[in-house]
């Protein structure tokens, strides 16, 4: 079968690294630039034995229990193996030794140094040394002849020499390499090797090929190369049988040839493309250990048959296997591990195999050739198994012809020229428990979550389980025997859940320790049916779940009552529980080209059981697999893949998955990882354990938990705009759980939501200001659409101050739209008021039949520069909408008897401005919201676009502080009529100060008869109605006229609005024309009472005229309200 490439792991710090096997092949020995020699029992060994031999170790060799190293102190040291006890120094050089090797029997070592010397030293008697001189540059590599006659060496001087050891003379020299002045500058370290046993051939890596020289004749017998080799080869090594030769290149490609047939039988590419600087073949089986220039260690398995025998009968026997074996879920190797290595191609040309037509994409991403060809076609019809047997017999004939010399160099194995060029299936990921470490470890974590830690110890001394709680108030630590060999566990605030696999004698068992139970029986067990193993489990609030190999999910209560059972769509991968939520990840199909094909289900197991995610595909990074799945502390589903990408369910975007963090960005080394143990949304924290050179932490000492920040992968986050966009949407996403909690009836802190909204609106306002500076006004409106009603008022004021006329107009229109939407929201569900279309509790039918709009426009002189003094929410009421909502004190208000026309406004008597300099005069109903009272703020600083188009002049934005009108000719021309009226009002106010104050009793008398006074805006609207209708002849609805009037009224200066407001409060009520327009009937009884009140006001008027006027109006209006 083809070679299996295991994931690489951290071995040493970055730099040159060497590797070798011990005599039995039970251990892998590596050395690196960190000065350590590490002894690995296997690639998954997370606690290798480490021996410090110096500041840097350049090379190591192992034979007969002796470990020899070339270190940076210019010495060759020897240690006992595996104890690692120093056993002396064999020899010294004047500079660093670059390479050290043993001879065949382990009695001698050869060492080459940067001082151009080669020394051959007897291991038992270091005084017996031989020095070989002849190189003119540092020595790169050495290799002993298996018969101990010759020693081959490569040097930076560009030569490869063969030395006769006994005579210490050079037998032959070839100028093959590129010259350089030092090892670090060499293009290739040229680690050459003699053929084992016979020593018949010497393999030398030169550029993109391997040259093989015959012993004694020193002729270049032949070269080995491959079309996929794009960079120079760095190192070669032979299989123990001497039939296969492996080579590693400086760009991470490992090639294996059959030397007899000269065929390339394996191609494996380094997952990161680093240079291969160490290569060692296992002494007894087809395994190759390799290291790269970054200090990583890798392993290839099933490289080839070490016996060197490959018969064509294997071809037919393997292709006869069932196709389903290709998708065996128990195979955890890389893509292509389970594919047939002896696939054949039926492309024939004149009776021989056509091997010129090789697809360029016949390589997997991992470097393996595509070597599976299930269906072979000839004349577009499938060939069955008998046809494949015919092909196999044909290959036997071709082999015989090759031996006879009729076909030259016809390869026996044609797996490197596959027929099928499509995507290859990916082995399915095995089930796992989130927060657990691999099962084969003697000391491992069974689970680590936000509740606690469960450790498992299974060694010669003890086989037990320890449970530790982060919060000891939940429960004290627990020590449990592990006689049943529990392999899966989960932990919650209520219970501990354990499960074991079935054996020949026992069934798979589910064991629950319900430590939160109030009775004395705190344990229960359930045995699974025969041939049904528990593969994954989880705990929730009051329930437990177990997924089995029979594609069933079994639910239990926390007390042990069996509940529902349902089938899973595919083999389970992992599960997680939180509260009433159950998250299931399973295989929904077969992935291809290294990708997993996973599906996810999310269920809520409360009183109303429902399914949220219905087997949707689970997004993963390309060529990655799932490593953690669970919930945040707030209950949002999350998961992590092998590339370190953390994703979270975005409930605010249709339950999609959004990446929120990339842990690889925080790793310092290529082999470092972060092991996730928990996620928090408030505060935003990713809790994980840093693993130096490993994918998971050791159990002892207890690892420390680190906290990583979240960062959404937005574009251009280095800019201010990108940073604020990322912060805003991250804040929105990480507070979606509040809406989920509110929707499902959970309690949460209201202050958290208000703080989040405040933060988000602040970011929006900053982005709007930035866009405004960049003259991106359309973008400003897009940002304002995300704002709340009050913040839009800020935006309008900012646009006005920035003299952005069009932007202010657009924002004003947006504010009206938001007000209307808010009004609809307020009145939804109030069926008692849906048929009273703006009648305001009136019994009159004529008012409900007319368009109704109520506004309140108040003066804003001193506080024009502040936007947060009064909370206001504008609203435009249209036919069919109820402007009122019920309030607690509405029962105390008597019904209004009179009918108000559609263009007559009402004033809220309880409306008080922040500066306490004015108050509204009204007997309007008290409402639960002040939406209608806030219409003025939304357009106070907006510019009128219609004014500019209708007057056909270039308008100028009215500043917040009025300037001389000579500097605003266009505005003056537009507001000429209004300004003259305002001046007239001011003059009347100065000439008749007493009339202004004496108007309040009169108004109060009128209010007693339910005749409400007009506001300044209403009076202005009546005088300018004809202008509005002439400019907008298409206006048929009264609400449209009022809306346009509001826009025009708000762009008036503060003095003009104040004048109209004063006029409305009675400053010019003695005018006959105004009295005629109002059509108020004043009764004599009220006139007498008003005269008394007028006399009182006139006495105090010279002292404090304006505040007394407002205070009196307020008191009298309240008094009139009570009279009704």
């Amino acid at each position: 079968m083809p070679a299996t490439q295991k994931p690489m792991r951290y071995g040493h710090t970055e730099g040159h690294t060497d590797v070798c096997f011990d005599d039995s092949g039970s251990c892998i020995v590596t050395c690196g630039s960190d000065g350590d020699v590490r002894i690995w029992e296997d690639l998954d060994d997370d606690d290798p034995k480490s021996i410090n031999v110096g500041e840097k170790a350049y090379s190591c060799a192992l034979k007969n229990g002796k470990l020899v190293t070339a270190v940076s102190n210019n010495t060759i040291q020897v240690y006992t193996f595996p104890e690692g006890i120093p056993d002396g120094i064999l020899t010294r050089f004047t500079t660093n030794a670059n390479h050290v090797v043993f001879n065949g029997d382990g009695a001698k070592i050869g060492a080459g140094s940067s001082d151009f010397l080669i020394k051959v030293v007897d291991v038992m008697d270091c005084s017996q040394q031989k020095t070989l001189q002849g190189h003119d540059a540092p020595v790169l590599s050495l290799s002993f002849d298996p018969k101990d006659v010759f020693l081959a060496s490569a040097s930076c001087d560009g030569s490869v020499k063969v030395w006769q050891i006994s005579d210490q003379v050079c037998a032959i020299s070839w100028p093959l390499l590129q010259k350089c002045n030092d090892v670090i500058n060499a293009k290739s370290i040229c680690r050459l090797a003699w053929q084992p046993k016979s020593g018949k051939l010497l393999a030398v890596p030169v550029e993109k090929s391997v040259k093989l020289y015959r012993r004694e004749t020193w002729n270049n017998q032949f070269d080995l190369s491959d079309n996929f080799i794009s960079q120079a080869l760095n190192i070669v090594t032979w299989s123990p049988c001497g039939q296969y030769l492996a080579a590693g290149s400086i760009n991470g490609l490992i090639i294996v040839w059959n030397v007899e047939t000269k065929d390339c039988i394996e191609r494996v590419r380094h997952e990161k493309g680093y240079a291969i600087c160490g290569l060692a073949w296992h002494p007894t089986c087809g395994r190759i250990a390799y290291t790269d220039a970054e200090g990583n260690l890798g392993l290839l398995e099933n490289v080839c048959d070490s016996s060197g025998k490959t018969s064509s009968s294997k071809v037919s026997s393997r292709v006869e296997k069932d196709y389903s074996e290709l998708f065996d879920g128990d195979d955890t190797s890389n893509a292509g591990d389970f594919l047939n290595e002896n696939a054949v191609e039926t492309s024939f040309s004149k009776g021989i195999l056509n091997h010129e037509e090789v697809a360029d994409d016949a390589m997997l991403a991992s470097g393996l050739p595509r070597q599976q060809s299930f269906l072979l076609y000839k004349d577009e019809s499938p060939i069955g198994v008998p046809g494949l047997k015919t092909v196999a017999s044909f290959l036997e004939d071709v082999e015989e012809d090759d031996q006879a010399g009729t076909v030259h160099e016809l390869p026996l194995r044609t797996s490197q020229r596959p027929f099928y060029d499509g995507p290859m299936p990916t082995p399915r990921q095995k089930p796992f428990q989130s927060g657990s470490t691999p099962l084969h470890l003697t000391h491992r974590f069974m689970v680590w979550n936000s509740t606690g830690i469960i450790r498992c110890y299974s060694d010669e001394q003890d086989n037990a389980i320890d449970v530790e709680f982060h919060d000891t108030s939940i429960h004290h630590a627990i020590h449990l025997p592990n006689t049943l060999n529990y392999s899966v566990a989960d932990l919650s605030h209520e219970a501990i859940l354990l499960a074991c696999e079935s054996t020949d004698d026992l069934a798979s068992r589910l064991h629950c320790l319900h430590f939160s139970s109030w009775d004395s029986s705190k344990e229960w067990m359930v045995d699974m049916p025969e041939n049904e193993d528990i593969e994954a489990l989880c705990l929730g609030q009051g329930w437990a779940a177990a997924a089995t190999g029979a594609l069933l999910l079994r639910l239990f209560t926390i007390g042990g009552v069996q509940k529902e059972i349902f089938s899973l769509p595919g083999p389970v991968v992992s599960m997680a529980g939180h509260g009433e939520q159950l998250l299931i990840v399973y295989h929904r199909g077969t992935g291809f080209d290294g990708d997993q094909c996973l599906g996810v289900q999310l269920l809520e197991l409360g009183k109303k059981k429902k399914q949220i995610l219905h087997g949707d595909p689970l997004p993963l990074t390309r060529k990655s697999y799932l490593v953690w799945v669970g919930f945040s502390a707030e209950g949002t589903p999350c998961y992590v893949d092998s590339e370190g990408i953390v994703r979270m369910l975005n409930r605010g975007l249709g339950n999609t998955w959004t990446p929120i963090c990339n842990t690889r960005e925080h790793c310092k080394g290529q082999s470092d990882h972060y092991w996730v143990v928990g996620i928090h949304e408030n505060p935003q924290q990713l809790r994980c354990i840093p693993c130096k050179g490993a994918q998971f932490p050791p159990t002892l000492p207890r690892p420390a938990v680190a906290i990583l920040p979240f960062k959404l992968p937005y574009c251009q986050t280095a800019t201010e705009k990108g940073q604020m966009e990322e912060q805003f949407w991250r804040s929105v996403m990480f507070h979606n759980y509040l809406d989920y909690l509110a929707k499902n009836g959970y309690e949460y802190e209201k202050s958290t939501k208000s703080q989040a909204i405040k933060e988000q609106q602040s970011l929006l306002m900053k982005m709007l200001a930035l866009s405004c500076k960049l003259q991106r006004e359309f973008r400003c409106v897009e940002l304002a659409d995300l704002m709340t009603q009050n913040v839009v008022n800020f935006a309008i004021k900012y646009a006005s101050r920035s003299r952005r006329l069009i932007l202010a107009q657009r924002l004003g229109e947006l504010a009206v739209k938001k007000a209307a939407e808010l009004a609809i929201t307020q009145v939804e569900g109030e069926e008692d008021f849906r048929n009273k279309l703006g009648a305001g509790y009136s019994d009159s039918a004529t008012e409900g039949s007319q368009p109704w709009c109520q506004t309140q426009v108040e003066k804003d002189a001193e506080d024009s520069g502040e936007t947060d003094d009064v909370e206001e929410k504008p609203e435009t009421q249209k036919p069919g909408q109820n402007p009122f909502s019920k309030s607690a004190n509405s029962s105390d208000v008597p019904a209004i008897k009179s009918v108000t026309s559609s263009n007559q406004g009402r004033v809220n008597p309880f409306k008080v401005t922040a500066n306490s300099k004015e108050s509204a005069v009204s007997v309007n109903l008290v409402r639960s919201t002040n939406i209608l009272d806030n219409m003025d703020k939304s357009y106070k600083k907006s510019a009128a676009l219609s004014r500019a188009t209708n007057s056909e002049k270039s308008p100028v934005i009215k500043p917040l502080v009025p300037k001389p009108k000579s500097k605003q000719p266009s505005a003056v021309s537009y507001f000429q009529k209004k300004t003259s009226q305002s001046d007239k009002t001011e003059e009347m106010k100065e000439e008749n100060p007493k009339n202004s104050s004496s108007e309040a009793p009169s108004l109060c008398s009128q209010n007693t008869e339910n005749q409400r006074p007009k506001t300044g805006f209403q009076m202005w609207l009546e005088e300018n109605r004809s202008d509005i209708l002439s400019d907008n002849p298409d206006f048929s609805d009264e609400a449209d006229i009022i809306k346009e009037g509001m826009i025009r009224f708000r762009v008036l200066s503060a003095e003009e609005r104040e004048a109209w407001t004063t006029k409305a409060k009675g400053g010019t009520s003695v005018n006959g024309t105004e009295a005629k327009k109002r059509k108020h009937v004043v009764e004599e009884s009220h006139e007498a009472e008003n005269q008394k009140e007028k006399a009182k006001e006139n006495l105090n008027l010279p002292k404090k005229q304006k505040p007394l006027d407002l205070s009196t109006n307020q008191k009298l209006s309240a008094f009139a309200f009570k009279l009704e």
Side-chain angles (χ1 to χ4, degrees):
M1 63 187 300
T4 302
Q5 183 183 17
K6 287 194 172 183
M8 299 197 70
R9 64 166 301 153
Y10 172 84
H12 299 271
T13 57
E14 298 178 3
H16 178 79
T17 313
D18 201 6
V19 63
C20 64
F21 282 97
D22 66 343
D23 297 335
S24 63
S26 59
C27 295
I28 304 173
V29 180
T30 61
C31 68
S33 57
D34 53 6
D36 290 339
V37 174
R38 292 192 171 94
I39 304 172
W40 312 77
E41 294 181 359
D42 196 3
L43 189 65
D44 296 329
D45 186 4
D46 288 315
D47 190 20
K49 184 175 182 179
S50 182
I51 306 169
N52 186 266
V53 296
E55 185 178 351
K56 288 185 178 181
Y58 298 108
S59 180
C60 64
L62 180 60
K63 202 88 167 181
N64 299 335
K66 297 291 184 179
L67 176 63
V68 179
T69 59
V71 293
S72 56
N73 60 357
N74 308 339
T75 61
I76 303 297
Q77 300 176 2
V78 61
Y79 295 82
T80 60
F81 182 84
E83 294 83 6
I85 301 173
D87 199 17
I89 297 176
L90 291 180
T91 186
R92 296 178 185 272
F93 294 93
T94 58
T95 58
N96 297 332
N98 299 320
H99 196 205
V100 61
V101 292
F102 271 104
N103 66 344
D105 58 6
K108 299 177 182 179
I109 63 102
S113 171
S114 293
D115 60 5
F116 312 165
L117 298 180
I118 301 171
K119 292 184 179 182
V120 179
V121 185
D122 192 289
V123 176
M124 301 306 296
D125 185 5
C126 60
S127 62
Q128 300 295 325
Q129 296 187 9
K130 292 181 180 181
T131 302
L132 306 177
Q133 300 181 13
H135 282 297
D136 299 327
V139 179
L140 291 172
S141 65
L142 302 172
S143 180
F144 271 105
D145 168 25
K147 298 182 179 180
D148 279 347
V149 176
F150 300 105
L151 175 69
S153 64
S155 172
C156 291
D157 59 9
S159 66
V160 175
K161 297 180 182 292
V162 178
W163 306 84
Q164 194 165 350
I165 300 176
S166 60
D167 299 336
Q168 304 180 32
V169 296
C170 178
I172 188 71
S173 178
W174 301 288
L176 301 175
L177 309 177
Q178 198 174 48
K179 293 183 179 181
C180 59
N181 59 359
D182 200 357
V183 177
I184 60 174
N185 298 324
K187 184 177 181 181
S188 167
I189 61 175
C190 191
R191 289 292 167 87
L192 37 74
W194 287 89
Q195 189 176 21
K197 297 181 180 179
S198 65
K200 181 180 178 181
L201 297 172
L202 173 64
V204 183
V206 180
E207 293 297 332
K208 300 179 183 179
S209 64
V210 179
K211 293 184 177 295
L212 288 97
Y213 294 89
R214 184 173 292 274
R215 181 191 180 89
E216 294 181 351
T217 64
W218 311 122
N219 295 327
N220 184 10
Q221 195 75 2
F222 55 88
D223 293 348
L224 296 177
S225 184
D226 189 78
N227 294 332
F228 289 93
I229 301 177
S230 59
Q231 298 289 335
L233 298 177
N234 214 27
I235 184 173
V236 296
T237 186
W238 291 84
S239 64
C241 63
Q243 183 178 353
Y244 303 103
L245 180 68
S249 71
I250 61 176
N251 66 340
L253 181 65
I254 299 177
I255 305 289
V256 181
W257 290 276
N258 185 326
V259 179
E260 293 181 2
T261 62
K262 307 177 184 60
D263 294 331
C264 175
I265 60 175
E266 298 290 354
R267 299 185 190 90
V268 178
R269 189 171 296 278
H270 189 288
E271 56 188 32
K272 300 294 184 181
Y274 298 147
I276 305 298
C277 57
L279 205 62
W281 205 299
H282 193 280
T284 58
C285 65
R287 303 175 70 187
I288 295 179
Y290 61 98
T291 55
D292 59 29
E294 297 293 327
N296 299 314
L297 172 64
L299 189 66
L300 299 179
E301 293 184 342
N302 305 321
V303 176
C304 66
D305 186 0
S306 60
S307 64
K309 299 178 182 179
T310 306
S311 63
S312 60
S313 62
K314 291 185 179 179
V315 178
S316 59
S317 62
R318 289 178 181 176
V319 297
E320 288 174 0
K321 292 183 180 179
D322 193 323
Y323 180 67
S324 62
E325 295 180 2
L326 300 181
F327 303 92
D328 185 6
D330 295 334
D331 195 344
T332 59
S333 57
N334 290 337
D337 294 348
F338 48 87
L339 301 179
N340 196 337
E341 68 174 336
N342 287 324
V344 294
E345 179 177 351
T346 58
S347 175
F348 299 101
S349 175
K350 297 183 180 180
I352 63 172
L353 291 178
N354 179 7
H355 35 138
E356 280 79 21
E357 299 176 0
V358 180
D360 293 336
D361 59 345
M363 289 283 291
L364 288 174
S366 61
L368 288 174
R370 293 193 170 96
Q371 297 175 345
Q372 174 59 35
S373 182
F374 171 62
L375 293 180
L376 307 178
Y377 292 90
K378 182 177 181 181
D379 298 332
E380 299 183 355
S381 60
I383 300 177
V385 173
L388 294 178
K389 292 182 178 180
T390 305
V391 172
S393 62
F394 173 80
L395 291 176
E396 293 178 359
D397 297 338
V398 170
E399 180 181 0
E400 294 175 359
D401 293 341
D402 182 35
Q403 295 174 355
T406 57
V407 179
H408 298 287
E409 298 182 6
L410 180 65
L412 174 63
R413 302 178 62 178
T414 60
S415 59
Q416 72 274 19
R417 310 183 193 279
F419 175 80
Y420 175 63
D421 293 334
M424 305 304 295
T426 304
R428 288 177 175 174
Q429 180 180 355
K430 282 187 175 181
F432 72 94
Q433 187 73 18
S434 293
S436 65
T437 52
L439 188 61
H440 67 271
L441 299 177
T442 56
H443 292 187
R444 59 183 290 259
F445 292 110
M446 299 184 74
V447 69
W448 184 322
N449 58 21
S450 59
T451 304
I453 306 170
I454 300 180
R455 295 184 181 89
C456 178
Y457 305 95
S458 56
D459 50 26
E460 298 178 356
Q461 290 80 15
D462 194 10
N463 189 6
I465 294 174
D466 286 343
V467 183
E468 175 187 346
F469 294 87
H470 299 315
D471 185 0
T472 55
S473 63
I474 298 177
H475 201 274
H476 59 78
I478 303 174
H479 181 80
L480 302 171
N482 191 18
T483 56
L484 295 178
N485 293 322
Y486 292 116
S487 57
V488 189
D490 198 11
L491 178 65
S492 72
H493 290 79
E494 296 178 318
I496 301 169
L497 196 62
L498 304 167
C500 64
E501 297 179 353
S502 62
T503 62
D504 296 337
D505 301 328
L506 299 175
S508 180
R509 176 172 295 179
L510 185 68
H511 184 187
C512 181
L513 283 76
H514 186 200
F515 55 79
S516 64
S517 175
W518 49 265
D519 63 0
S520 58
S521 300
K522 298 183 182 297
E523 293 187 43
W524 54 269
M525 298 183 183
V526 174
D527 289 341
M528 296 294 108
E530 188 177 357
N531 299 326
E532 185 175 343
D533 283 350
I534 297 175
E535 295 182 344
L537 49 80
C538 66
L539 285 167
Q541 185 176 0
W543 56 267
T548 67
L551 302 185
L552 292 178
L553 192 137
R554 300 178 179 272
L555 292 175
F556 303 85
T557 65
I558 201 66
V561 178
Q562 297 188 58
K563 296 181 69 178
E564 294 89 350
I565 300 175
F566 61 91
S567 295
L568 296 174
V572 69
V573 176
S574 188
M575 295 197 307
H578 183 278
E580 297 177 350
Q581 301 180 86
L582 171 61
L583 186 68
I584 309 167
V585 180
Y586 60 90
H587 290 287
R588 62 190 299 267
T590 300
F592 289 88
D593 279 348
D595 297 332
Q596 296 289 330
C597 183
L598 304 181
V600 58
Q601 289 184 346
L602 179 61
L603 298 91
E604 292 185 357
L605 305 178
K607 293 183 178 180
K608 296 182 179 180
K609 297 179 175 61
K610 57 182 178 180
Q611 189 170 1
I612 308 301
L613 298 178
H614 305 265
D616 300 340
L618 189 71
L620 291 174
T621 308
R622 289 296 310 274
K623 302 185 185 304
S624 67
Y625 52 90
L626 192 66
V627 296
W628 187 90
V629 61
F631 290 85
S632 66
E634 291 75 16
T636 304
C638 308
Y639 68 93
V640 186
D641 61 27
S642 58
E643 292 298 321
I645 304 299
V646 185
R647 293 179 176 85
M648 177 182 288
L649 187 69
N650 192 345
R651 301 185 192 270
L653 193 62
N655 290 330
T656 55
W657 296 97
T658 302
I660 58 175
C661 183
N662 184 0
T663 61
R664 301 293 297 172
E665 293 180 352
H666 303 275
C667 295
K668 295 181 179 180
Q670 294 291 337
S671 301
D672 297 345
H673 294 84
Y674 279 97
W675 197 63
V676 178
V677 296
I679 295 177
H680 293 258
E681 297 180 73
N682 188 23
Q684 298 179 16
Q685 293 180 350
L686 176 63
R687 305 177 65 84
C688 49
I689 298 173
C691 303
K692 180 67 175 177
Q695 295 184 351
F696 41 83
T699 55
L700 293 175
R702 177 170 178 169
V705 177
I707 296 176
L708 298 182
F710 293 110
K711 183 179 179 182
L712 274 61
Y714 275 82
C715 302
Q716 297 179 336
T717 52
T719 64
E720 185 179 5
K721 171 179 174 291
Q723 289 177 0
M724 289 189 292
E725 288 172 342
E726 189 273 337
Q727 293 174 9
F728 171 76
W729 289 112
R730 174 156 48 88
S731 176
V732 171
M733 180 176 178
F734 277 81
H735 289 91
N736 284 336
Y737 76 93
L738 297 173
D739 297 331
Y740 173 79
L741 295 178
K743 180 181 177 181
N744 289 272
Y746 293 99
E747 295 182 358
Y748 65 93
E749 296 183 3
K750 300 294 181 62
S751 60
T752 303
K753 187 171 184 178
S754 61
Q755 182 65 26
I757 295 175
K758 182 179 179 181
E759 175 189 358
Q760 294 163 15
Q761 298 302 313
S762 175
L763 288 169
L764 286 173
M765 196 63 200
K766 291 178 181 178
M767 286 190 284
L768 184 138
L770 180 61
S771 300
C772 194
K773 291 179 181 178
L774 298 176
Q775 297 183 358
R776 299 283 187 177
E777 297 187 2
F778 188 87
R779 184 183 297 171
C780 293
V781 178
E782 292 177 327
L783 293 170
D785 193 36
L786 302 173
M787 297 178 180
T788 59
Q789 184 62 47
N790 288 337
V791 181
V792 173
N793 295 337
F794 280 94
I796 296 174
K797 183 175 287 291
Y798 182 86
S800 300
R801 285 180 173 178
S802 302
R803 300 182 180 274
R804 305 281 182 183
L805 178 65
I806 299 178
L807 176 60
Q809 169 65 18
R810 294 287 184 178
L811 294 178
E813 295 175 358
L814 180 63
V816 173
K817 179 180 178 182
K818 284 182 172 289
E821 293 175 353
L822 187 60
I824 294 175
T825 304
Q826 292 290 334
V827 301
E828 282 182 354
E830 300 181 4
E831 298 179 356
D832 295 341
F833 302 93
R834 289 185 181 276
N835 296 326
K836 301 177 181 180
L837 302 175
Y841 296 102
S842 174
D843 296 331
S844 174
T846 58
E847 183 179 73
S849 62
Q850 298 178 354
W852 187 92
C853 180
Q854 177 178 353
T855 63
Q856 176 185 356
V857 182
E858 303 177 1
K859 68 176 182 178
D860 187 16
E862 288 83 6
D863 60 342
S864 61
E866 301 177 2
T867 57
D868 55 350
D869 52 348
V870 181
E871 294 183 3
E872 296 169 310
K873 300 182 180 178
E875 170 186 291
T876 301
Q877 185 67 29
K878 298 181 179 181
Q881 298 179 1
N882 185 359
F884 298 108
S885 60
K886 293 181 179 179
S887 61
N889 57 359
S890 61
S891 59
D892 299 334
V893 182
I896 307 299
K897 297 180 181 179
S898 62
V899 177
T900 305
S901 61
S902 60
N903 61 348
Q904 184 176 5
R906 302 177 182 179
V907 185
N908 185 356
F910 302 100
K911 173 74 175 176
V912 181
T913 58
N915 54 15
S916 302
K917 292 183 179 181
E918 59 178 351
S919 61
V921 182
S922 174
V923 293
N924 198 0
L925 293 177
V926 180
R927 298 162 307 193
S928 60
T929 61
N930 59 349
I931 298 172
L932 300 179
D933 294 336
N934 300 325
M935 191 68 76
D936 61 326
K937 278 293 181 183
S938 64
Y939 289 125
K940 187 174 291 183
K941 307 301 172 233
S942 64
L945 180 61
S946 59
R947 172 171 64 94
T949 56
N950 294 334
S951 61
E952 297 182 356
K953 293 183 180 181
S954 176
V956 178
I957 299 178
K958 280 286 183 179
L960 296 178
V961 179
K963 295 183 180 180
K965 292 180 172 51
S966 59
K967 296 182 180 180
Q968 302 176 11
S970 60
V972 170
S973 61
Y974 181 82
F975 295 110
Q976 189 65 41
K977 181 177 180 179
K978 307 177 186 61
T979 304
S980 60
Q981 292 173 352
S982 177
D983 295 339
K984 180 179 178 181
T985 306
E986 293 291 332
E987 293 174 358
M988 293 177 63
K989 181 178 179 180
E990 293 175 359
E991 293 175 359
N992 302 303
K994 294 183 179 182
N995 293 340
S996 176
S997 60
S998 62
E999 182 65 18
S1002 176
L1003 292 176
C1004 183
S1005 301
Q1006 297 169 14
N1007 288 339
T1008 58
E1009 296 298 324
N1010 294 327
Q1011 288 289 350
R1012 295 170 179 77
K1014 295 181 181 180
T1015 63
F1017 167 71
Q1018 290 172 329
M1019 297 180 66
W1020 177 90
L1021 182 62
E1022 289 181 355
E1023 293 193 8
N1024 294 271
R1025 179 184 297 274
S1026 59
D1027 295 339
I1028 296 174
L1029 292 175
S1030 62
D1031 293 340
N1032 300 276
D1034 56 335
F1035 282 180
S1036 59
D1037 193 351
E1038 182 68 21
D1040 293 335
I1041 300 175
I1042 294 175
K1043 177 181 175 181
E1044 178 66 21
M1046 289 171 57
I1047 295 175
R1048 296 191 180 189
F1049 187 79
R1050 291 192 184 284
V1051 298
L1052 298 179
S1053 65
E1055 290 81 356
E1056 292 171 330
R1057 294 198 304 271
E1058 183 180 1
W1060 283 103
T1061 303
T1062 305
K1063 182 177 181 180
K1065 290 180 179 181
T1068 57
S1069 60
V1070 296
N1071 188 292
T1073 305
E1074 296 296 330
K1076 183 178 180 180
K1077 289 183 179 179
R1078 294 173 182 240
K1079 296 181 181 180
H1080 290 298
V1081 180
V1082 181
E1083 297 181 358
E1084 295 180 359
S1085 60
H1086 292 294
E1087 289 181 356
E1089 184 180 353
N1090 291 340
Q1091 292 296 332
K1092 296 179 182 180
E1093 295 294 335
K1094 185 192 301 182
K1096 294 179 181 180
E1097 288 185 29
N1098 291 337
L1099 293 176
N1100 298 328
L1101 184 61
K1103 297 180 181 180
K1104 200 171 183 180
Q1105 174 186 353
K1106 182 178 179 181
L1108 183 59
D1109 178 31
L1110 296 176
S1111 175
T1112 305
N1113 284 341
Q1114 185 178 15
K1115 292 178 181 179
L1116 291 176
S1117 62
F1119 175 76
F1121 186 86
K1122 291 179 181 179
L1123 289 177
E1124 296 184 56

